Amino acid sequence: MSEPRYDLDDLLTLMAVLRDPDQGCPWDLKQEWDSIVPHTLEEAYEVADAIERRAYEELPGELGDLLFQVVYYAQFGAEERRFDFHDVVHALTAKMLRRHPHVFPEGTLASRRPPGVSAEAIETRQVHSRWESLKAAERAERDARSVLDDVPRTLPALSRAAKLAKRAARVGFDWPDETGVIAKIHEELAEVEAALAAGDRDHAVEEVGDLLFAVTNLARKLKADPEQCLRGTNAKFERRFRRLEAALAGTGRTPSEASLDEMEDHWQAAKRQESAAAHSEEGAK
Protein backbone atom coordinates (compact mmCIF):
# COMPACT_ATOMS: atom_id res chain seq x y z
CA MET A 1 0.00 0.00 0.00
CA SER A 2 1.45 3.35 -1.06
CA GLU A 3 2.04 6.17 1.41
CA PRO A 4 -0.70 8.85 1.39
CA ARG A 5 0.09 12.11 -0.42
CA TYR A 6 -0.25 14.91 2.12
CA ASP A 7 -1.18 18.48 1.24
CA LEU A 8 -1.06 21.89 2.95
CA ASP A 9 -4.35 21.36 4.78
CA ASP A 10 -2.89 18.18 6.30
CA LEU A 11 0.15 20.14 7.49
CA LEU A 12 -2.04 22.77 9.13
CA THR A 13 -4.06 20.03 10.82
CA LEU A 14 -0.86 18.37 12.05
CA MET A 15 0.31 21.63 13.62
CA ALA A 16 -3.03 22.22 15.29
CA VAL A 17 -2.90 18.73 16.85
CA LEU A 18 0.72 19.20 17.99
CA ARG A 19 -0.41 22.31 19.85
CA ASP A 20 -3.60 20.80 21.22
CA PRO A 21 -3.55 21.20 25.05
CA ASP A 22 -4.96 17.70 25.61
CA GLN A 23 -3.54 15.62 22.75
CA GLY A 24 -0.51 17.61 21.63
CA CYS A 25 3.25 17.14 22.00
CA PRO A 26 4.75 18.42 25.30
CA TRP A 27 7.72 20.01 23.50
CA ASP A 28 5.56 21.80 20.94
CA LEU A 29 3.20 23.03 23.64
CA LYS A 30 6.10 24.71 25.44
CA GLN A 31 7.14 26.73 22.40
CA GLU A 32 6.39 30.42 21.94
CA TRP A 33 7.26 33.16 19.46
CA ASP A 34 10.81 33.80 20.66
CA SER A 35 11.78 30.16 21.22
CA ILE A 36 11.14 29.26 17.58
CA VAL A 37 13.22 32.08 16.06
CA PRO A 38 16.60 30.28 16.38
CA HIS A 39 15.10 27.24 14.63
CA THR A 40 13.79 29.45 11.82
CA LEU A 41 17.25 30.92 11.23
CA GLU A 42 18.86 27.48 11.34
CA GLU A 43 16.39 26.04 8.83
CA ALA A 44 16.97 28.96 6.44
CA TYR A 45 20.72 28.32 6.56
CA GLU A 46 20.17 24.61 5.92
CA VAL A 47 18.20 25.46 2.78
CA ALA A 48 21.05 27.72 1.61
CA ASP A 49 23.59 25.00 2.40
CA ALA A 50 21.70 22.38 0.37
CA ILE A 51 21.49 24.75 -2.60
CA GLU A 52 25.20 25.63 -2.44
CA ARG A 53 26.07 21.92 -2.33
CA ARG A 54 23.64 21.30 -5.21
CA ALA A 55 22.04 18.66 -2.99
CA TYR A 56 18.70 19.01 -4.75
CA GLU A 57 17.47 15.67 -3.44
CA GLU A 58 17.65 17.17 0.08
CA LEU A 59 15.77 20.36 -0.80
CA PRO A 60 12.17 19.12 -0.44
CA GLY A 61 12.92 18.11 3.14
CA GLU A 62 14.86 21.29 3.95
CA LEU A 63 12.24 23.55 2.37
CA GLY A 64 9.59 21.63 4.28
CA ASP A 65 11.43 22.32 7.53
CA LEU A 66 11.49 26.03 6.65
CA LEU A 67 7.79 26.01 5.73
CA PHE A 68 7.06 24.35 9.06
CA GLN A 69 8.44 27.42 10.79
CA VAL A 70 5.91 29.62 8.97
CA VAL A 71 3.13 27.21 9.94
CA TYR A 72 4.33 27.40 13.55
CA TYR A 73 4.08 31.20 13.68
CA ALA A 74 0.69 31.08 11.97
CA GLN A 75 -0.52 28.66 14.64
CA PHE A 76 0.66 31.04 17.39
CA GLY A 77 -1.20 33.84 15.62
CA ALA A 78 -4.38 31.76 15.35
CA GLU A 79 -4.23 30.75 19.03
CA GLU A 80 -3.93 34.40 20.05
CA ARG A 81 -6.59 35.41 17.51
CA ARG A 82 -4.15 37.75 15.75
CA PHE A 83 -4.00 36.06 12.31
CA ASP A 84 -3.85 32.59 10.75
CA PHE A 85 -2.02 30.89 7.88
CA HIS A 86 -4.57 32.11 5.34
CA ASP A 87 -3.88 35.70 6.42
CA VAL A 88 -0.19 35.08 5.78
CA VAL A 89 -0.90 33.79 2.27
CA HIS A 90 -3.27 36.70 1.57
CA ALA A 91 -0.77 39.32 2.78
CA LEU A 92 2.02 37.82 0.67
CA THR A 93 -0.09 37.50 -2.49
CA ALA A 94 -1.50 41.02 -2.16
CA LYS A 95 1.99 42.47 -1.64
CA MET A 96 3.43 40.65 -4.66
CA LEU A 97 0.53 41.83 -6.84
CA ARG A 98 1.21 45.43 -5.76
CA ARG A 99 4.92 45.10 -6.46
CA HIS A 100 4.49 43.57 -9.93
CA PRO A 101 2.27 45.99 -11.87
CA HIS A 102 4.36 45.15 -14.97
CA VAL A 103 3.03 41.57 -14.71
CA PHE A 104 -0.43 42.19 -13.18
CA PRO A 105 -1.35 45.66 -14.55
CA GLU A 106 -4.75 45.80 -12.83
CA GLY A 107 -3.40 44.53 -9.52
CA THR A 108 -5.43 41.34 -9.75
CA LEU A 109 -4.25 37.76 -10.12
CA ALA A 110 -6.28 37.38 -13.32
CA SER A 111 -4.88 40.48 -15.07
CA ARG A 112 -2.04 40.19 -17.59
CA ARG A 113 0.12 42.40 -19.79
CA PRO A 114 -1.22 43.25 -23.25
CA PRO A 115 -0.47 40.54 -25.86
CA GLY A 116 2.88 40.97 -27.56
CA VAL A 117 4.66 42.62 -24.60
CA SER A 118 7.19 40.00 -23.52
CA ALA A 119 9.25 39.90 -20.33
CA GLU A 120 12.34 40.68 -22.43
CA ALA A 121 10.76 43.96 -23.52
CA ILE A 122 10.57 45.24 -19.95
CA GLU A 123 13.75 46.89 -18.71
CA THR A 124 15.11 45.31 -15.52
CA ARG A 125 16.26 48.72 -14.30
CA GLN A 126 12.74 50.13 -14.53
CA VAL A 127 11.30 47.10 -12.73
CA HIS A 128 13.86 47.45 -9.92
CA SER A 129 13.18 51.19 -9.59
CA ARG A 130 9.43 50.61 -9.42
CA TRP A 131 9.93 47.81 -6.86
CA GLU A 132 11.98 50.09 -4.61
CA SER A 133 9.43 52.91 -4.93
CA LEU A 134 6.61 50.56 -3.91
CA LYS A 135 8.63 49.28 -0.94
CA ALA A 136 9.33 52.88 0.11
CA ALA A 137 5.59 53.64 -0.05
CA GLU A 138 4.89 50.58 2.11
CA ARG A 139 7.43 51.80 4.67
CA ALA A 140 5.76 55.22 4.66
CA GLU A 141 2.42 53.56 5.41
CA ARG A 142 4.04 51.94 8.44
CA ASP A 143 5.22 55.40 9.53
CA ALA A 144 8.89 54.45 9.23
CA ARG A 145 11.04 57.34 10.45
CA SER A 146 14.28 56.19 8.80
CA VAL A 147 15.20 54.38 5.60
CA LEU A 148 16.97 51.92 7.93
CA ASP A 149 13.94 51.15 10.10
CA ASP A 150 12.97 47.73 8.74
CA VAL A 151 16.43 46.21 8.24
CA PRO A 152 16.14 43.13 10.51
CA ARG A 153 18.53 43.11 13.46
CA THR A 154 18.66 39.30 13.37
CA LEU A 155 20.35 39.18 9.97
CA PRO A 156 23.96 37.93 9.87
CA ALA A 157 26.22 40.91 10.49
CA LEU A 158 27.68 40.94 6.97
CA SER A 159 24.27 40.78 5.32
CA ARG A 160 22.87 43.46 7.61
CA ALA A 161 25.86 45.73 6.93
CA ALA A 162 25.25 45.39 3.19
CA LYS A 163 21.55 46.19 3.60
CA LEU A 164 22.22 49.19 5.82
CA ALA A 165 24.73 50.60 3.33
CA LYS A 166 22.40 49.87 0.42
CA ARG A 167 19.55 51.76 2.10
CA ALA A 168 21.82 54.74 2.79
CA ALA A 169 23.04 54.64 -0.81
CA ARG A 170 19.46 55.01 -2.09
CA VAL A 171 19.30 58.51 -0.59
CA GLY A 172 22.73 59.47 -1.98
CA PHE A 173 25.01 58.52 0.93
CA ASP A 174 27.50 56.47 -1.08
CA TRP A 175 30.78 56.52 -2.97
CA PRO A 176 30.54 57.22 -6.73
CA ASP A 177 32.40 53.99 -7.51
CA GLU A 178 34.50 51.24 -5.95
CA THR A 179 37.66 53.40 -6.00
CA GLY A 180 36.37 55.38 -3.02
CA VAL A 181 35.53 52.18 -1.14
CA ILE A 182 39.01 50.78 -1.70
CA ALA A 183 40.50 54.03 -0.35
CA LYS A 184 38.24 53.66 2.70
CA ILE A 185 39.47 50.09 3.23
CA HIS A 186 43.08 51.32 3.22
CA GLU A 187 42.11 54.07 5.66
CA GLU A 188 40.43 51.65 8.07
CA LEU A 189 43.31 49.17 7.85
CA ALA A 190 45.76 51.96 8.69
CA GLU A 191 43.64 52.80 11.74
CA VAL A 192 43.77 49.17 12.87
CA GLU A 193 47.56 49.21 12.52
CA ALA A 194 47.82 52.52 14.40
CA ALA A 195 45.69 51.20 17.27
CA LEU A 196 47.81 48.04 17.53
CA ALA A 197 51.02 50.10 17.42
CA ALA A 198 49.67 52.18 20.31
CA GLY A 199 48.88 49.03 22.26
CA ASP A 200 45.16 49.85 22.31
CA ARG A 201 43.59 46.48 21.47
CA ASP A 202 40.05 47.62 22.33
CA HIS A 203 40.32 50.41 19.77
CA ALA A 204 41.84 47.97 17.29
CA VAL A 205 38.84 45.67 17.68
CA GLU A 206 36.48 48.59 17.00
CA GLU A 207 38.49 49.52 13.91
CA VAL A 208 38.35 45.92 12.66
CA GLY A 209 34.56 46.33 12.68
CA ASP A 210 34.93 49.49 10.57
CA LEU A 211 37.24 47.59 8.23
CA LEU A 212 34.73 44.76 7.81
CA PHE A 213 31.97 47.28 7.10
CA ALA A 214 34.12 48.90 4.41
CA VAL A 215 34.90 45.53 2.82
CA THR A 216 31.18 44.74 2.85
CA ASN A 217 30.61 47.94 0.89
CA LEU A 218 33.16 46.85 -1.69
CA ALA A 219 31.22 43.60 -2.20
CA ARG A 220 28.03 45.65 -2.58
CA LYS A 221 29.69 47.89 -5.17
CA LEU A 222 30.72 44.76 -7.09
CA LYS A 223 27.06 43.62 -6.93
CA ALA A 224 28.07 40.62 -4.81
CA ASP A 225 26.49 39.32 -1.61
CA PRO A 226 29.21 39.58 1.08
CA GLU A 227 27.71 36.63 2.96
CA GLN A 228 28.04 34.46 -0.15
CA CYS A 229 31.55 35.78 -0.78
CA LEU A 230 32.62 34.72 2.70
CA ARG A 231 30.83 31.37 2.51
CA GLY A 232 32.73 30.69 -0.71
CA THR A 233 36.01 31.54 0.98
CA ASN A 234 35.08 29.38 3.99
CA ALA A 235 34.46 26.44 1.67
CA LYS A 236 37.76 27.06 -0.12
CA PHE A 237 39.67 27.27 3.14
CA GLU A 238 38.07 24.05 4.37
CA ARG A 239 38.95 22.16 1.17
CA ARG A 240 42.56 23.26 1.28
CA PHE A 241 43.00 22.63 4.99
CA ARG A 242 41.55 19.14 4.66
CA ARG A 243 44.10 18.44 1.91
CA LEU A 244 46.82 19.76 4.20
CA GLU A 245 45.62 17.39 6.95
CA ALA A 246 45.50 14.46 4.52
CA ALA A 247 49.03 15.16 3.30
CA LEU A 248 50.37 15.24 6.85
CA ALA A 249 48.37 12.12 7.76
CA GLY A 250 50.27 10.38 4.98
CA THR A 251 53.43 10.92 7.03
CA GLY A 252 51.74 9.79 10.22
CA ARG A 253 51.40 13.27 11.70
CA THR A 254 48.78 15.90 12.53
CA PRO A 255 48.99 19.67 11.94
CA SER A 256 49.84 20.24 15.61
CA GLU A 257 52.93 18.06 15.11
CA ALA A 258 54.13 19.88 11.98
CA SER A 259 55.99 23.16 11.64
CA LEU A 260 54.33 26.24 10.18
CA ASP A 261 56.67 26.06 7.18
CA GLU A 262 55.59 22.46 6.48
CA MET A 263 51.94 23.38 6.71
CA GLU A 264 52.50 26.34 4.39
CA ASP A 265 54.17 24.03 1.85
CA HIS A 266 51.18 21.68 1.91
CA TRP A 267 48.79 24.64 1.73
CA GLN A 268 50.48 25.94 -1.40
CA ALA A 269 50.42 22.42 -2.87
CA ALA A 270 46.67 22.29 -2.24
CA LYS A 271 46.24 25.62 -4.02
CA ARG A 272 48.22 24.32 -7.01
CA GLN A 273 46.09 21.17 -7.12
CA GLU A 274 42.90 23.25 -7.17
CA SER A 275 44.30 25.52 -9.88
CA ALA A 276 45.34 22.56 -12.03
CA ALA A 277 41.92 20.92 -11.57
CA ALA A 278 40.16 24.16 -12.52
CA HIS A 279 42.26 24.54 -15.68
CA SER A 280 41.63 20.91 -16.59
CA GLU A 281 37.89 21.35 -16.16
CA GLU A 282 37.93 24.55 -18.22
CA GLY A 283 39.85 22.79 -20.97
CA ALA A 284 37.32 19.97 -21.03
CA LYS A 285 34.58 22.49 -21.81
Side-chain angles (χ1 to χ4, degrees):
M1 185 175 178
S2 61
E3 183 177 314
R5 189 74 176 178
Y6 299 110
D7 59 21
L8 184 55
D9 287 336
D10 294 321
L11 179 59
L12 295 175
T13 298
L14 180 146
M15 173 52 74
V17 174
L18 288 176
R19 293 278 297 175
D20 184 273
D22 297 321
Q23 299 178 324
C25 168
W27 187 89
D28 290 285
L29 287 168
K30 290 178 181 177
Q31 303 313 306
E32 53 189 19
W33 297 97
D34 293 335
S35 69
I36 293 298
V37 170
H39 299 284
T40 306
L41 297 174
E42 181 180 342
E43 298 301 351
Y45 281 123
E46 289 184 2
V47 168
D49 177 67
I51 292 172
E52 289 180 356
R53 292 185 290 109
R54 300 297 185 260
Y56 299 115
E57 72 284 355
E58 298 177 16
L59 267 179
E62 297 297 352
L63 288 168
D65 291 343
L66 185 56
L67 173 61
F68 194 65
Q69 303 302 303
V70 178
V71 172
Y72 231 126
Y73 295 122
Q75 179 65 28
F76 291 154
E79 291 170 2
E80 298 176 9
R81 298 188 178 182
R82 299 174 184 274
F83 61 87
D84 62 17
F85 186 82
H86 301 290
D87 294 318
V88 174
V89 173
H90 170 76
L92 173 60
T93 304
K95 179 168 63 178
M96 290 301 107
L97 287 171
R98 286 196 307 271
R99 292 185 179 180
H100 291 82
H102 52 290
V103 179
F104 307 101
E106 296 173 19
T108 66
L109 201 55
S111 63
R112 297 291 186 275
R113 287 193 301 267
V117 181
S118 66
E120 290 78 8
I122 302 172
E123 288 191 21
T124 303
R125 186 180 305 173
Q126 291 178 347
V127 172
H128 181 73
S129 176
R130 187 181 300 120
W131 177 278
E132 294 301 339
S133 295
L134 289 166
K135 287 173 68 176
E138 290 170 5
R139 285 196 294 273
E141 288 180 7
R142 294 196 300 268
D143 194 28
R145 298 178 181 179
S146 168
V147 295
L148 310 178
D149 274 356
D150 60 345
V151 179
R153 294 182 180 276
T154 52
L155 283 174
L158 283 177
S159 294
R160 189 162 193 268
K163 280 190 173 291
L164 289 171
K166 184 178 179 181
R167 288 289 180 83
R170 286 180 195 159
V171 294
F173 191 68
D174 195 12
W175 294 273
D177 55 39
E178 57 268 20
T179 303
V181 191
I182 291 172
K184 185 65 173 176
I185 290 171
H186 286 302
E187 175 189 327
E188 298 297 353
L189 180 58
E191 291 181 3
V192 172
E193 293 173 336
L196 288 174
D200 191 344
R201 298 190 71 82
D202 289 341
H203 188 207
V205 168
E206 178 184 344
E207 294 298 343
V208 167
D210 293 347
L211 177 60
L212 287 171
F213 194 87
V215 172
T216 298
N217 272 286
L218 179 58
R220 177 179 60 84
K221 280 293 189 181
L222 297 175
K223 294 181 169 51
D225 177 5
E227 198 74 26
Q228 288 185 330
C229 290
L230 188 54
R231 282 201 298 266
T233 295
N234 288 345
K236 181 168 60 178
F237 178 88
E238 186 176 4
R239 285 195 310 270
R240 291 174 180 176
F241 195 81
R242 287 181 184 277
R243 285 183 174 174
L244 179 157
E245 288 178 311
L248 287 172
T251 66
R253 291 180 300 159
T254 64
S256 61
E257 296 168 330
S259 69
L260 181 57
D261 287 341
E262 287 178 286
M263 287 192 283
E264 178 64 21
D265 287 342
H266 288 303
W267 179 268
Q268 294 300 327
K271 289 178 64 175
R272 290 192 294 271
Q273 288 175 355
E274 283 195 1
S275 180
H279 286 308
S280 176
E281 184 177 333
E282 189 65 31
K285 293 180 181 178

